Amino acid sequence: MSTRVERDGDGPPGSLALALRLGGIVLIAAVTLVPVLVTGPVVALARGGEAARRHAWSRLTTLLTRLGPAFVKAGQVLGTRRDVLPAAMCDELATLRDAVAPLPAWRAREVLAEVYGDEVDTLFAEVDYAAVASGSIAGVHRARLASGREVALKLRRPGIERVMRLDLHLVRRVAGLVAGLPPLRGVPVVEVVDAMCAAVLGQLDFDREAASLARLRAELAVVPRVWVPRVVPEACRPRCIAMEFIPDLDVDAAARCSPAARRKFAASGLTAIYEMLFVNGFVHCDLHPGNLYFTESAQVVVLDAGFSVQLSERLRLLFADFFLNMAIGDGDKCAAIVVESSAEVRPDADLPGFLDRMADLVRRSHKLSAREFSLMAFATEMFDLQRRHGIHAASELIFPLLSLLVIEPTIRELDPQADFQELARPVLMKGRFSSR
């Protein structure tokens, strides 16, 4: 994953900046987590050890939210690593939301002037400086080009890169220290954190995201009813992406549509993910409801390609083979593929035990009806088996699995009867056996 971005600051963070930020983190962590020493035992006595652990992980998500955008995004990515982290912890990390107040209109005006310089008055006929959407990295503004064309401007927050680099630098240092602790020996702490940092920093690279959007638009053109906004290259800058403006996006639009339309939405959304995973190997990993919309004209709209990854050809084929064999219930083959695609098999790994239990999981899942089958339940059990038997998944493989887990609740809400395995079959055949 590329992490090349235009710098908002002057080089790497200095020692003083690191020390001050570290002191702030320690203070916030103490205020947030120390009370758990009192409330944790109370919860354990009243509701049991599992409830106490969930209470502790809940306070962890509160801490990450208070620490800021780098930690929120890091927590979101780490929450996918169910092969090395407890499931209850991952469940809590999955609740992290990237909700930040937009820049004031006067500040957005200043930032756009900084980004476009003298061109701002000639390139744009009109700009709405009140954001129509906002996250920790960027806000989105509606604008009209001098040509009359309406565009959406994804404008990066000023100074956000320096803040995130500073925080992630500290995260890497801490990871290097804790990796040597006895409870974490054998766990690929540094590798997991490095992959997480790369994923977070990749979302700052707007040149890369613009290219990713253009690529997704081209590759998903074969999926009926899927709409990826067109990038407007002449109005893009390293800190701002200009794209086609899609009006009237509403997270509740699907609820107003007929059951038949909702089933079409579900099929199109799943087919789009499968096309990314099995055919092209280029995957949008963050299709939560803020990035995936459904329109009353029966379109599925895909936005925000900042968190996209390219699978190697080897892992694309292994991923496709896994799902193909899962669709026919070949548990032994699926188990072997998981081991083949892993980043590491620990010296003390129980390989025979893992192969037996993984094969059994696939066979049990194959017998479930569409309503009973849950990707989340399947992935949680698979990752738990990997963690307990010493099989560490490749970081590259975690992100495409994340794309499926993120979209599953939306698909289930649209069509409770959606058959994830059956809908995958034609795309699997295309991706596995046709020439690319």
Side-chain angles (χ1 to χ4, degrees):
M1 178 184 294
S2 168
T3 58
R4 180 182 59 81
V5 293
E6 181 186 82
R7 291 190 176 278
D8 292 322
D10 299 318
S15 299
L16 179 59
L18 287 170
L20 290 173
R21 179 55 175 157
L22 182 59
I25 290 172
V26 170
L27 180 60
I28 295 170
V31 171
T32 306
L33 298 182
V34 166
V36 176
L37 299 176
V38 176
T39 57
V42 173
V43 173
L45 285 172
R47 294 159 49 197
E50 182 62 27
R53 285 188 288 273
R54 288 190 176 275
H55 172 66
W57 301 139
S58 176
R59 294 303 296 172
L60 174 62
T61 61
T62 300
L63 171 63
L64 295 177
T65 301
R66 290 176 178 175
L67 289 176
F71 289 90
V72 169
K73 290 190 172 293
Q76 290 171 333
V77 175
L78 286 177
T80 67
R81 293 307 305 257
R82 292 173 180 262
D83 60 319
V84 294
L85 299 175
M89 180 181 180
C90 292
D91 289 342
E92 287 297 333
L93 291 174
T95 67
L96 284 166
R97 292 292 176 261
D98 187 16
V100 178
L103 289 176
W106 65 268
R107 186 67 177 114
R109 182 190 294 270
E110 288 183 349
V111 175
L112 273 168
E114 292 169 9
V115 169
Y116 287 94
D118 295 338
E119 293 179 296
V120 70
D121 292 324
T122 56
L123 191 58
F124 300 106
E126 183 182 353
V127 177
D128 184 352
Y129 293 103
V132 298
S134 179
S136 59
I137 288 178
V140 179
H141 299 263
R142 188 173 186 171
R144 185 162 53 87
L145 297 177
S147 64
R149 183 177 187 177
E150 278 201 301
V151 294
L153 301 177
K154 183 175 179 180
L155 180 65
R156 204 170 82 198
R157 288 178 178 271
I160 189 64
E161 183 199 348
R162 183 162 183 80
V163 172
M164 294 183 76
R165 283 187 178 276
L166 176 65
D167 285 347
L168 294 175
H169 184 82
L170 288 171
V171 169
R172 280 192 170 104
R173 283 196 173 186
V174 172
L177 292 174
V178 303
L181 297 176
L184 294 173
R185 284 177 187 158
V187 177
V189 174
V190 173
E191 292 82 353
V192 169
V193 169
D194 281 346
M196 175 271 295
C197 290
V200 172
L201 286 174
Q203 295 178 62
L204 294 170
D205 188 344
F206 277 19
D207 288 339
R208 175 184 176 276
E209 181 176 349
S212 296
L213 269 175
R215 180 176 176 183
L216 284 174
R217 179 179 171 85
E219 293 182 346
L220 295 183
V222 300
V223 183
R225 297 180 296 277
V226 171
W227 184 1
V228 181
R230 185 188 301 275
V231 175
V232 184
E234 65 271 22
C236 289
R237 298 295 182 273
R239 287 193 288 157
C240 189
I241 303 171
M243 69 197 86
E244 170 186 12
F245 184 82
I246 301 176
D248 303 322
L249 294 181
D250 181 357
V251 293
D252 298 319
R256 299 191 293 270
C257 295
S258 68
R262 289 163 62 86
R263 286 193 293 272
K264 287 181 180 179
F265 288 151
S268 292
L270 262 184
T271 302
I273 282 287
Y274 290 152
E275 187 77 18
M276 297 181 212
L277 288 170
F278 305 134
V279 179
N280 302 308
F282 185 66
V283 189
H284 189 312
C285 299
D286 201 19
L287 286 176
H288 58 75
N291 291 334
L292 184 69
Y293 288 87
F294 307 95
T295 72
E296 295 186 31
S297 58
Q299 295 282 349
V300 178
V301 179
V302 176
L303 302 176
D304 195 350
F307 190 2
S308 300
V309 299
Q310 175 65 58
L311 294 178
S312 67
E313 183 67 359
R314 172 180 172 272
L315 276 183
R316 181 190 73 84
L317 292 173
L318 285 173
F319 203 70
D321 276 348
F322 179 87
F323 273 82
L324 191 61
N325 283 282
M326 186 176 164
I328 62 176
D330 190 338
D332 292 330
K333 181 63 175 175
C334 285
I337 289 171
V338 173
V339 174
E340 184 181 352
S341 66
S342 65
E344 179 188 11
V345 177
R346 289 206 320 252
D348 61 343
D350 177 10
L351 194 54
F354 173 78
L355 290 170
D356 286 345
R357 288 169 178 79
M358 185 67 216
D360 177 65
L361 170 61
V362 171
R363 286 190 286 267
R364 283 188 283 112
S365 300
H366 180 65
K367 295 177 181 177
L368 296 177
S369 67
R371 179 182 286 274
E372 294 173 315
F373 177 73
S374 164
L375 275 170
M376 177 60 78
F378 178 88
T380 297
E381 187 171 346
M382 180 179 75
F383 288 142
D384 184 58
L385 286 174
Q386 287 180 269
R387 186 163 55 88
R388 288 192 287 113
H389 290 81
I391 314 292
H392 295 315
S395 296
E396 183 186 0
L397 200 58
I398 292 297
F399 295 126
L401 278 172
L402 169 64
S403 67
L404 285 169
L405 298 182
V406 168
I407 202 175
E408 182 182 23
T410 301
I411 300 300
R412 289 295 183 202
E413 186 176 348
L414 289 167
D415 181 10
Q417 300 282 5
D419 191 330
F420 282 67
Q421 298 184 53
E422 188 59 33
L423 282 167
R425 284 177 186 264
V427 189
L428 278 167
M429 295 299 177
K430 175 183 174 183
R432 188 63 187 88
F433 300 113
S434 65
S435 60
R436 296 180 66 226

